[in-house]
Amino acid sequence: MLAQINTIGLLGIDGFTVRVQADVSNGMPSLEVIGLPDTAVKEAKERAKTAIKNSGCRFPSKHVTINLAPAATKKEGSSYDFPISVSILAATEQLIIPDSDISVFIGELSLDGKVNPVSGVLPMIISAYKAGFRKMYVPVENADEAAVIDGAEIYPTSSIHELIDHFSGAKPIEPHVVSIDNYLEGSGGGLLDFSDVKGQETVKRALEIAAAGNHNILLIGSPGTGKTMLAQRMTGILPDMTFDEALEVTKIHSIAGTLPANTPLIKYRPFRSPHHTISAMGLSGGGSIPRPGELSLAHNGILFLDELPEFRRDVLEVLRQPLEDGTVTISRVNATLTYPCNIMLIASMNPCKCGYFGDPGRNCTCTPAQVLAYRSRISGPLLDRIDIQVEVSPVNYSQLSSQRSGEKSADIKKRVDRTRKIQLERYKDYDNIFSNSQLTAGMLSEFCRLTPDADAVLKSAFDNLGFSARAHSRILKVARTIADLEGSEGIKKEHIAEAIQYRSLDRKYFG
């Protein structure tokens, strides 16, 4: 007898419908899975066979063929265990599924018939819903993330035996519902606050500008000046994620298997801080079964690279194209996958190998050649993609011992939110342009108009400070954000002057 049920496979962050066809016929007892299965899917036949028997059901002593269609697309992962078992039970008439044409089954099996959680359920459910399926049978542990999709009926299933009781009417499974009303509101609670940071007002101002325009920023300073402490507080001043942004972030973390338990949506912007020993693949993503890397896990949030020159050169060069395009493309023989990575890069570094070049309280022990070699680990093209460079100076005792608290993140965030709204309104007619950092060369002349005084200041800076051509557009973009923070339509000389100061380290540290 032939039976067919449906499941969802994953290709990157998107799912595709897989028809699981089971044919039970006379012949030598065996179970064969065809349709380009990988090793995990081939092993599913043993898990399915044992799970069916241990669930009190009968496994047919006949020739059983499982076809995973479309046959030309590779099937990967353990999420096919459950649907393969269900198709066999349906083919042997031990399970009658009345709405099989609008139902999908997803999950891994234990040998005792328990349905175990799998990665990537959220993008699977999204794809299933778009394909017209309405009833989704998923592992209990994945029910929260699956129930985020409005209109999908989510049936959390703990075992094969429970599924049989459900369809027989002995004990129906109730659809799982998650309330996400107001879930994303008030998402700043529990985040680190800028009021904890003593001093460093200039750096805080630079970070506020970076947040307001989504600019990449480089912090340069001696050890112990607070670079990491400042970077960790940036998520508290970024705008709250929209539902669509949260959905995108949650999809990526679901695929990567990093979604926290009992979390229907990730509501805080990600903050990823990989160690400098990370590989290029760990940063960009990949593997035999391609998975998102740190760049994609930081999507719609912050990627913080501490001690930037300590990262391997090939790892840093991986950053160049994703920072420009907002996507990471992983090419394999059988497929090319694209993951989103719209991130803000925050990098920090010491000014030299010992860390004390230019420090007023400590002497640098590096030779000029060592200083140059240390800084040359960062390539010009990568620096070209960093809009703001700011020096983090040591904090003196009077600042550290002061009982006065700094400005709260919530107050800074209000200004950032207001500035981002200005940019969204300004670029509403442009595709994929949401902030000043994304302005193209052709848009600079239209949206970064300088007053005559501002133009004179910029010209003088280029003539006297030896700026490179690459600094020109960066200064204009940052000046545009500074003007937006003040609510100014035009870019004035004070806006340009402040933006120029955030490129002065080009000349001091990188020649």
Side-chain angles (χ1 to χ4, degrees):
M1 185 175 177
L2 177 67
Q4 174 177 297
I5 62 116
N6 301 289
T7 189
I8 303 293
L10 278 178
L11 194 60
I13 61 170
D14 298 314
F16 60 96
T17 302
V18 177
R19 298 183 302 279
V20 183
Q21 301 167 330
D23 178 72
V24 179
S25 57
N26 294 326
M28 184 69 69
S30 63
L31 174 57
E32 185 176 3
V33 179
I34 59 176
L36 276 185
D38 73 346
T39 302
V41 181
K42 289 178 181 177
E43 291 176 348
K45 62 184 182 182
E46 297 302 328
R47 290 191 291 271
K49 183 177 181 179
T50 308
I52 287 173
K53 290 180 178 179
N54 289 334
S55 297
C57 300
R58 172 178 52 85
F59 190 86
S61 298
K62 296 184 177 183
H63 181 72
V64 180
T65 302
I66 304 293
N67 180 44
L68 305 176
T73 305
K74 192 170 182 64
K75 319 303 185 305
E76 299 171 327
S78 60
S79 64
Y80 294 93
D81 294 5
F82 188 36
I84 286 174
S85 298
V86 172
S87 68
I88 294 171
L89 292 173
T92 55
E93 298 183 331
Q94 298 178 79
L95 194 61
I96 307 299
I97 306 173
D99 297 321
S100 61
D101 57 331
I102 60 169
S103 302
V104 296
F105 298 84
I106 300 167
E108 179 187 310
L109 285 178
S110 294
L111 297 184
D112 60 358
K114 180 183 177 182
V115 183
N116 293 329
V118 295
S119 300
V121 165
L122 178 58
M124 290 180 187
I125 298 300
I126 292 173
S127 298
Y129 188 78
K130 288 180 179 178
F133 299 104
R134 293 297 177 266
K135 297 187 175 184
M136 324 290 185
Y137 295 85
V138 303
V140 172
E141 291 86 345
N142 294 125
D144 280 348
E145 61 174 298
V148 166
I149 307 306
D150 188 32
E153 294 180 30
I154 307 301
Y155 295 90
T157 309
S158 62
S159 65
I160 291 176
H161 189 270
E162 185 181 33
L163 187 73
I164 292 172
D165 285 347
H166 169 73
F167 284 116
S168 68
K171 189 177 180 182
I173 301 172
E174 293 297 323
H176 185 68
V177 178
V178 170
S179 176
I180 58 171
D181 293 342
N182 304 320
Y183 186 79
L184 297 178
E185 291 185 7
S187 61
L191 297 178
L192 298 173
D193 201 285
F194 268 106
S195 61
D196 302 329
V197 182
K198 302 290 187 180
Q200 303 295 10
E201 299 305 323
T202 300
V203 186
K204 291 179 187 176
R205 167 67 175 174
L207 290 170
E208 178 181 340
I209 293 167
N214 200 41
H215 300 287
N216 300 323
I217 184 169
L218 174 63
L219 308 177
I220 305 178
S222 303
T225 52
K227 301 186 293 295
T228 301
M229 186 181 187
L230 287 158
Q232 290 172 337
R233 282 152 176 76
M234 277 294 285
T235 51
I237 66 172
L238 292 177
D240 296 336
M241 285 198 292
T242 64
F243 177 77
D244 288 340
E245 286 177 326
L247 204 59
E248 272 196 333
V249 171
T250 308
K251 281 173 62 176
I252 294 169
H253 284 261
S254 176
I255 292 168
T258 58
L259 186 65
N262 303 316
T263 304
L265 275 180
I266 294 177
K267 62 180 180 178
Y268 300 130
R269 291 191 180 273
F271 181 90
R272 305 293 297 186
S273 180
H275 193 260
H276 66 259
T277 56
I278 192 172
S279 66
M281 185 180 294
L283 191 64
S284 65
S288 56
I289 301 177
R291 288 290 183 263
E294 290 293 334
L295 274 164
S296 296
L297 292 172
H299 178 57
N300 287 332
I302 292 172
L303 178 67
F304 176 51
L305 300 184
D306 198 11
E307 304 297 345
L308 188 65
E310 299 298 332
F311 287 78
R312 295 204 323 255
R313 185 67 175 256
D314 64 311
V315 174
L316 293 180
E317 293 309 299
V318 165
L319 289 168
R320 288 166 54 178
Q321 202 63 38
L323 287 177
E324 199 74 24
D325 299 339
T327 58
V328 175
T329 300
I330 303 170
S331 296
R332 292 291 181 267
V333 174
N334 58 344
T336 297
L337 307 179
T338 299
Y339 291 112
C341 63
N342 179 28
I343 65 169
M344 175 191 293
L345 173 66
I346 301 179
S348 72
M349 62 176 285
N350 296 331
C352 65
K353 190 169 183 61
C354 78
Y356 296 104
F357 178 86
D359 190 295
R362 298 281 296 270
N363 292 326
C364 175
T365 60
C366 301
T367 65
Q370 288 175 325
V371 174
L372 180 62
Y374 184 75
R375 295 172 187 167
S376 65
R377 295 180 187 178
I378 306 171
S379 69
L382 178 57
L383 281 172
D384 187 31
R385 288 159 172 79
I386 299 177
D387 296 350
I388 298 175
Q389 302 162 7
V390 62
E391 194 163 16
V392 186
S393 302
V395 181
N396 59 44
Y397 179 77
S398 62
Q399 291 173 319
L400 286 173
S401 59
S402 172
Q403 298 301 311
R404 182 181 177 184
S405 297
E407 188 176 20
K408 292 184 178 296
S409 291
D411 297 326
I412 302 173
K413 185 177 180 299
K414 290 177 182 177
R415 296 194 295 268
V416 171
D417 287 343
R418 184 176 65 247
T419 306
R420 285 289 188 102
K421 288 178 181 177
I422 292 172
Q423 294 166 63
L424 288 173
E425 178 63 25
R426 179 187 296 137
Y427 308 129
K428 63 182 179 181
D429 296 329
Y430 292 83
D431 293 333
N432 300 319
I433 302 293
F434 307 105
S435 63
N436 292 329
S437 66
Q438 298 172 306
L439 287 173
T440 63
M443 298 171 69
L444 290 175
S445 59
E446 180 180 356
F447 295 111
C448 299
R449 299 181 185 276
L450 306 180
T451 63
D453 287 347
D455 187 60
V457 170
L458 185 57
K459 182 180 183 302
S460 176
F462 268 79
D463 291 342
N464 299 316
L465 299 180
F467 282 134
S468 63
R470 75 185 183 203
H472 180 262
S473 64
R474 304 294 169 184
I475 290 173
L476 288 178
K477 291 177 184 180
V478 173
R480 177 68 272 168
T481 300
I482 296 170
D484 288 342
L485 275 167
E486 286 195 3
S488 174
E489 183 64 31
I491 299 176
K492 302 175 183 177
K493 65 178 182 180
E494 57 267 27
H495 305 146
I496 279 290
E498 186 175 1
I500 289 170
Q501 123 183 350
Y502 298 130
R503 295 300 301 191
S504 61
L505 299 186
D506 255 356
R507 186 165 174 262
K508 177 177 178 180
Y509 287 113
F510 303 105

